[in-house]
Amino acid sequence: MIKKELGPIGIFDSGFGGLSILKAITKELPNYDYIYLGDNARTPYGNRSPEIIYEFTRQAVDFLFKNNCQLIILACNTASSDALRKIQQEYLPQYYPSKKVLGVLIPGAEAAVAKTKNKKIGVMATEGTVTSGSFVREIKKLDSTIKVFQQSCPLLVPLIEAGEKNNPATKIILEQYIKPLKQKKIDTVILGCTHYGLVEEQIKKIFGDKVKVISEGKEVAKKLKIYLVKHPEIETTLTKKSKLSFYSTDTTAKFQTLGSKFFGQKIRVEKVNLN
Ligand code: DGL
């Protein structure tokens, strides 16, 4: 009998943001082993070209598979928007036919479609994600009659990473981004960026209680749980010792402090080189 290769779940993000997704996943699925990789040396991805985002994401996928991961979650909306499809359709079949890479867009899109009553959904995301139109595509696949209004929020990631989420300037900027979505009378909004969950309370306050706010961490975790039940061929290849390992492409000091904020507990991180 051929022995199965076993390993952890890989979680990839352009930087710290994906730690908020990992946090939600480990809460829902605490028994598995996880390797987190943040490409902090080259973050943010949000305003880069699709070609570069694909290339960086492909390198990250190689790193995680070489470290035995059996399944990878691209816990970055920009990478999920600009690289996931090509990785699934072209790269995996050629180089890793038995492994899987999943993104974070579909769980958020499905949750929003299930929640909206007036069929008007807003998406707040990075410029890369908005330009790719990926959320619009995923929502329309589920219900073509829904109207989707996108808002890119380029200042949010730098503000949050600078630890300025409670700065009054952040509130003013959020109000500016949210105003056009309010004018479109959306009743549901997807926070389509790993970082925006950290300002979820501020966003909820500005929208008021008529608008449902979909924060993707919880949705991704719920859908991953269902995916693993439906795919025993993947689930049985995953190791389950609740072990967490963290890697970053940049020096580790900032990752250690800021990373702990996103993850909610102290983490030890190791520096790696992807190219
Ligand atoms: N992780 C990215 C995302 O979810 C945000 C940070 C970046 O622009 O790299 O889109």
Side-chain angles (χ1 to χ4, degrees):
M1 206 170 76
I2 301 166
K3 223 175 149 210
K4 263 191 199 169
E5 191 194 336
L6 303 179
I9 298 175
I11 309 281
F12 169 66
D13 180 44
S14 55
F16 305 110
L19 288 168
S20 60
I21 310 273
L22 177 64
K23 188 177 165 191
I25 291 177
T26 52
K27 200 167 165 211
E28 190 75 41
L29 298 161
N31 297 335
Y32 296 98
D33 296 339
Y34 298 91
I35 295 187
Y36 184 89
L37 171 64
D39 191 6
N40 295 73
R42 304 185 292 197
T43 200
Y45 281 14
N47 39 21
R48 289 186 185 271
S49 71
E51 294 74 27
I52 288 288
I53 294 165
Y54 172 74
E55 190 47 32
F56 290 176
T57 306
R58 195 192 54 71
Q59 290 169 1
V61 163
D62 277 341
F63 171 85
L64 289 168
F65 281 150
K66 288 200 172 114
N67 280 278
N68 267 343
C69 290
Q70 301 301 313
L71 164 70
I72 296 174
I73 314 291
L74 299 185
C76 172
N77 294 267
T78 312
S80 297
S81 297
D82 283 326
L84 179 63
R85 227 171 353 161
K86 198 166 164 195
I87 283 178
Q88 287 175 332
Q89 291 173 0
E90 295 173 25
Y91 198 60
L92 292 189
Q94 196 174 352
Y95 296 99
Y96 306 99
S98 65
K99 302 204 182 187
K100 289 277 180 284
V101 179
L102 305 174
V104 287
L105 305 178
I106 295 175
E110 286 178 345
V113 170
K115 288 251 157 73
T116 183
K117 295 242 160 24
N118 73 359
K119 297 198 178 225
K120 288 183 183 178
I121 296 177
V123 175
M124 295 170 72
T126 65
E127 281 186 280
T129 300
V130 166
T131 310
S132 77
S134 52
F135 270 111
V136 182
R137 252 193 324 272
E138 293 304 339
I139 292 168
K140 295 267 184 195
K141 260 192 233 166
L142 297 166
D143 182 343
S144 60
T145 65
I146 289 177
K147 287 206 167 71
V148 187
F149 302 96
Q150 302 194 92
Q151 176 65 47
S152 68
C153 311
L155 293 174
L156 288 188
V157 167
L159 278 167
I160 293 167
E161 291 214 344
E164 298 294 346
K165 67 174 192 165
N166 295 320
N167 191 312
T170 304
K171 186 172 173 242
I172 296 169
I173 287 162
L174 275 173
E175 278 166 349
Q176 298 245 353
Y177 289 148
I178 288 171
K179 196 172 165 195
L181 294 175
K182 273 179 133 177
Q183 283 167 346
K184 298 290 181 197
K185 306 243 181 306
I186 60 159
D187 71 352
T188 307
V189 65
I190 300 174
L191 304 188
C193 172
T194 47
H195 287 55
Y196 301 173
L198 275 88
V199 285
E200 186 177 342
E201 288 316 309
Q202 284 107 302
I203 291 175
K204 277 184 175 160
K205 240 188 222 156
I206 299 169
F207 273 114
D209 28 287
K210 286 205 184 88
V211 176
K212 300 204 178 57
V213 176
I214 310 286
S215 194
E216 54 187 6
K218 273 182 241 145
E219 301 304 328
V220 171
K222 274 196 265 172
K223 289 283 150 64
L224 179 58
K225 197 172 182 178
I226 296 168
Y227 178 88
L228 293 177
V229 172
K230 280 194 188 154
H231 293 274
E233 76 286 4
I234 299 287
E235 202 283 334
T236 50
T237 66
L238 299 173
T239 47
K240 302 173 188 80
K241 292 196 178 114
S242 305
K243 187 172 175 235
L244 295 172
S245 316
F246 298 90
Y247 295 93
S248 169
T249 54
D250 202 352
T251 44
T252 55
K254 193 174 169 206
F255 194 99
Q256 239 131 5
T257 47
L258 208 54
S260 305
K261 263 191 202 164
F262 279 84
F263 192 57
Q265 66 187 68
K266 262 208 151 127
I267 53 183
R268 248 201 55 225
V269 62
E270 206 173 300
K271 184 172 183 268
V272 290
N273 197 343
L274 293 187
N275 42 24

